[in-house]
Amino acid sequence: MQLHAVIWEEEGIYIIREVFTGITTQGETIEEAIENLKEAVELYLEEFPELREELEKVKFVGDFNVEVAKALG
């Protein structure tokens, strides 16, 4: 199963979030963050096995960046 995740850096730590489940974790390196996410998703899917079937049906098409105007205030 392949899932889609986004990763960003905050204060020297890499934060990673899986898009469909919302599972979020972190690591000191990108590789560590990815491994932590894999483990977290597996644990989550053990708890909710019916979700695995639903996630296997998801067809990832692509991603893109969306710029949002700065809030005035």
Side-chain angles (χ1 to χ4, degrees), residues 18-51:
E18 198 286 311
V19 173
F20 300 107
T21 62
I23 295 171
T24 305
T25 189
Q26 64 186 28
E28 292 184 11
T29 65
I30 292 173
E31 294 79 12
E32 181 182 11
I34 292 169
E35 287 304 313
N36 290 342
L37 181 66
K38 287 179 184 179
E39 182 179 344
V41 168
E42 283 300 321
L43 291 171
Y44 184 79
L45 293 177
E46 283 178 17
E47 196 69 28
F48 302 100
E50 66 281 358
L51 183 58

Side-chain angles (χ1 to χ4, degrees), residues 6-10 13-17 24-27 29 33:
V6 293
I7 190 165
W8 65 94
E9 185 269 333
E10 276 184 29
I13 299 292
Y14 293 94
I15 313 295
I16 188 167
R17 176 177 296 145
T24 305
T25 189
Q26 64 186 28
T29 65

